[in-house]
Amino acid sequence: MRGAGRGGATLEVWPSLRIHMQANRAFMHRVARYLAAEKGIRQFLDIGSGIPTSPNFHEVAQQVAPESRVVYVDNDPIVLVHAQALMAGGSEGKTAYIQADMREPETILSARELLDTLDMDRPIGLTLIAMVHFVEDDDEAYRVVERIVDALPSGSWFAASIATDDFAPEMLARVQEVYHAHGETLRFRDRAQAVRFLDGLELEEPGVVRIHKWHPEPGDVGSVDDADIAMYGGIAFKP
């Protein structure tokens, strides 16, 4: 899913990849901080955790609220090797890891690690950061997200970042070719398709925007070139 060979080849055709991914990770950090500090969320389900890189999601959330609980999900076997690092949360909170594919939501929702860590009757912060582009079929992608969101209790929040080629279609068509050449999926979606993932929920301002424009840190405003970003992001509330 995050192969070194594919990454190097992608950098050759799209030199902005590194900036783009850094902006995506910064978006994830802001989401974790925002939900913990501004919305009082104390339990999180992070699907598509990736290889641990400090600060991880739980570190950001537990910095705000040490009692925060985080369940990570990923299907990459390399992540499993590093799962112990993911689960090294603060003494007051708790972390857990599930090896599962997001395209099989029932496996995630029935996992003992999830049920032992999170209270499914209390609000949860669900994050799908740079994940839905790995599901090429639109109907399947929307179905999977809807199933997981439906399982969340009222008062929960859903955050996502969604790959788009709205701003550089020719360049990103070459990126897509690299992914396909390495046997991987990559599905870009326009803004209307990105917004659809949050249908039925109450979008938080400023809505679905490019990730570097979602609640940027004051010092970061203007520091990222729009042309380097190919990802929409937003969060929404489940009433």
Side-chain angles (χ1 to χ4, degrees):
M1 199 158 62
R2 299 173 178 82
R6 182 260 293 158
T10 304
L11 270 171
E12 288 184 13
V13 301
W14 188 37
S16 298
L17 173 66
R18 187 170 286 111
I19 295 171
H20 167 83
M21 296 308 296
Q22 289 170 346
N24 185 64
R25 189 158 185 83
F27 169 74
M28 181 268 283
H29 290 157
R30 295 197 305 278
V31 165
R33 195 174 299 112
Y34 186 81
L35 291 180
E38 303 294 330
K39 302 303 178 183
I41 298 298
R42 296 294 181 263
Q43 46 180 13
F44 301 88
L45 175 59
D46 178 36
I47 299 178
S49 56
I51 296 173
T53 304
S54 188
N56 293 294
F57 191 101
H58 71 275
E59 293 172 313
V60 177
Q62 290 177 355
Q63 187 176 44
V64 175
E67 70 275 21
S68 296
R69 293 174 166 239
V70 179
V71 173
Y72 292 106
V73 180
D74 205 292
N75 71 335
D76 189 333
I78 296 175
V79 178
L80 178 62
V81 175
H82 296 274
Q84 195 61 45
L86 277 176
M87 292 189 283
S91 58
E92 295 182 47
K94 186 176 180 180
T95 60
Y97 174 75
I98 302 169
Q99 185 174 18
D101 193 315
M102 67 167 287
R103 290 167 293 191
E104 300 174 355
E106 300 304 331
T107 300
I108 298 171
L109 296 171
S110 63
R112 178 50 53 191
E113 295 88 346
L114 175 71
L115 302 177
D116 285 348
T117 307
L118 305 185
D119 182 349
M120 298 302 289
D121 293 323
R122 294 177 52 241
I124 292 170
L126 167 67
T127 56
L128 280 165
I129 306 299
M131 280 301 295
V132 294
H133 59 258
F134 291 116
V135 185
E136 211 153 20
D137 181 79
D138 287 343
D139 289 340
E140 182 182 17
Y142 293 127
R143 176 187 59 78
V144 165
V145 172
E146 182 179 17
R147 174 66 187 96
I148 299 170
V149 171
D150 281 351
L152 303 179
S154 175
S156 294
W157 289 83
F158 171 44
S161 60
I162 300 150
T164 184
D165 61 354
D166 275 355
F167 308 103
E170 293 182 6
M171 176 79 72
L172 293 171
R174 294 198 292 273
V175 171
Q176 190 175 50
E177 289 173 2
V178 170
Y179 271 69
H180 289 170
H182 284 77
E184 301 178 28
T185 58
L186 178 60
R187 170 74 167 98
F188 293 112
R189 293 180 170 93
D190 62 28
R191 186 177 182 280
Q193 291 169 319
V195 171
R196 186 178 163 188
F197 282 105
L198 295 101
D199 275 358
L201 305 175
E202 298 177 2
L203 265 174
E204 185 81 347
E205 292 296 331
V208 174
V209 296
R210 274 187 275 185
I211 48 176
H212 66 302
K213 295 180 178 294
W214 190 89
H215 292 263
E217 300 293 342
D220 293 340
V221 176
S223 65
V224 178
D225 191 330
D226 289 357
D228 292 333
I229 304 301
M231 196 91 75
Y232 285 118
I235 74 171
F237 176 74
K238 181 178 180 179

